[in-house]
PDB file of all heavy atoms in Angstrom:
ATOM      1  N   ASP G 161       9.556   7.128   0.617  1.00  0.00           N
ATOM      2  CA  ASP G 161       8.233   6.504   0.514  1.00  0.00           C
ATOM      3  C   ASP G 161       8.382   5.249  -0.344  1.00  0.00           C
ATOM      4  O   ASP G 161       8.025   5.207  -1.509  1.00  0.00           O
ATOM      5  CB  ASP G 161       7.235   7.483  -0.114  1.00  0.00           C
ATOM      6  CG  ASP G 161       5.791   7.010   0.040  1.00  0.00           C
ATOM      7  OD1 ASP G 161       5.617   5.821   0.391  1.00  0.00           O
ATOM      8  OD2 ASP G 161       4.870   7.814  -0.194  1.00  0.00           O
ATOM      9  N   ALA G 295      14.217   6.223  -8.065  1.00  0.00           N
ATOM     10  CA  ALA G 295      15.302   6.912  -7.352  1.00  0.00           C
ATOM     11  C   ALA G 295      15.036   7.046  -5.874  1.00  0.00           C
ATOM     12  O   ALA G 295      13.911   7.427  -5.476  1.00  0.00           O
ATOM     13  CB  ALA G 295      15.530   8.284  -7.972  1.00  0.00           C
ATOM     14  N   PRO G 297      15.503   9.333  -2.765  1.00  0.00           N
ATOM     15  CA  PRO G 297      15.695  10.779  -2.703  1.00  0.00           C
ATOM     16  C   PRO G 297      16.735  11.164  -1.621  1.00  0.00           C
ATOM     17  O   PRO G 297      16.424  11.904  -0.686  1.00  0.00           O
ATOM     18  CB  PRO G 297      14.305  11.294  -2.351  1.00  0.00           C
ATOM     19  CG  PRO G 297      13.715  10.177  -1.517  1.00  0.00           C
ATOM     20  CD  PRO G 297      14.253   8.908  -2.112  1.00  0.00           C
ATOM     21  N   HIS G 321       8.223  11.797   7.949  1.00  0.00           N
ATOM     22  CA  HIS G 321       7.977  12.456   6.675  1.00  0.00           C
ATOM     23  C   HIS G 321       8.366  11.504   5.537  1.00  0.00           C
ATOM     24  O   HIS G 321       9.508  11.016   5.495  1.00  0.00           O
ATOM     25  CB  HIS G 321       8.766  13.747   6.566  1.00  0.00           C
ATOM     26  CG  HIS G 321       8.579  14.469   5.280  1.00  0.00           C
ATOM     27  ND1 HIS G 321       7.429  15.181   4.980  1.00  0.00           N
ATOM     28  CD2 HIS G 321       9.373  14.564   4.164  1.00  0.00           C
ATOM     29  CE1 HIS G 321       7.529  15.710   3.772  1.00  0.00           C
ATOM     30  NE2 HIS G 321       8.684  15.330   3.258  1.00  0.00           N
ATOM     31  N   LEU G 322       7.440  11.224   4.626  1.00  0.00           N
ATOM     32  CA  LEU G 322       7.720  10.316   3.514  1.00  0.00           C
ATOM     33  C   LEU G 322       8.155  11.132   2.311  1.00  0.00           C
ATOM     34  O   LEU G 322       7.384  11.940   1.776  1.00  0.00           O
ATOM     35  CB  LEU G 322       6.460   9.511   3.185  1.00  0.00           C
ATOM     36  CG  LEU G 322       5.942   8.586   4.283  1.00  0.00           C
ATOM     37  CD1 LEU G 322       4.633   7.906   3.839  1.00  0.00           C
ATOM     38  CD2 LEU G 322       6.988   7.546   4.675  1.00  0.00           C
ATOM     39  N   MET G 323       9.397  10.906   1.879  1.00  0.00           N
ATOM     40  CA  MET G 323       9.928  11.640   0.750  1.00  0.00           C
ATOM     41  C   MET G 323       9.655  10.863  -0.539  1.00  0.00           C
ATOM     42  O   MET G 323       9.951   9.680  -0.631  1.00  0.00           O
ATOM     43  CB  MET G 323      11.440  11.834   0.930  1.00  0.00           C
ATOM     44  CG  MET G 323      12.061  12.806  -0.068  1.00  0.00           C
ATOM     45  SD  MET G 323      11.488  14.535   0.160  1.00  0.00           S
ATOM     46  CE  MET G 323      12.298  14.955   1.736  1.00  0.00           C
ATOM     47  N   PRO G 324       9.046  11.496  -1.557  1.00  0.00           N
ATOM     48  CA  PRO G 324       8.709  10.800  -2.805  1.00  0.00           C
ATOM     49  C   PRO G 324       9.919  10.180  -3.496  1.00  0.00           C
ATOM     50  O   PRO G 324      11.028  10.749  -3.449  1.00  0.00           O
ATOM     51  CB  PRO G 324       8.091  11.878  -3.661  1.00  0.00           C
ATOM     52  CG  PRO G 324       7.618  12.919  -2.683  1.00  0.00           C
ATOM     53  CD  PRO G 324       8.598  12.884  -1.569  1.00  0.00           C
ATOM     54  N   CYS G 325       9.731   9.018  -4.096  1.00  0.00           N
ATOM     55  CA  CYS G 325      10.783   8.313  -4.866  1.00  0.00           C
ATOM     56  C   CYS G 325      10.415   8.392  -6.342  1.00  0.00           C
ATOM     57  O   CYS G 325       9.547   7.631  -6.790  1.00  0.00           O
ATOM     58  CB  CYS G 325      10.881   6.866  -4.428  1.00  0.00           C
ATOM     59  SG  CYS G 325      11.244   6.623  -2.673  1.00  0.00           S
ATOM     60  N   PRO G 326      10.996   9.253  -7.116  1.00  0.00           N
ATOM     61  CA  PRO G 326      10.586   9.444  -8.519  1.00  0.00           C
ATOM     62  C   PRO G 326      11.042   8.332  -9.430  1.00  0.00           C
ATOM     63  O   PRO G 326      12.063   7.666  -9.176  1.00  0.00           O
ATOM     64  CB  PRO G 326      11.245  10.777  -8.892  1.00  0.00           C
ATOM     65  CG  PRO G 326      12.439  10.864  -8.010  1.00  0.00           C
ATOM     66  CD  PRO G 326      12.047  10.220  -6.714  1.00  0.00           C
TER      67      PRO G 326
END
Side-chain angles (χ1 to χ4, degrees):
D161 193 346
H321 179 76
L322 298 177
M323 191 67 70
C325 300

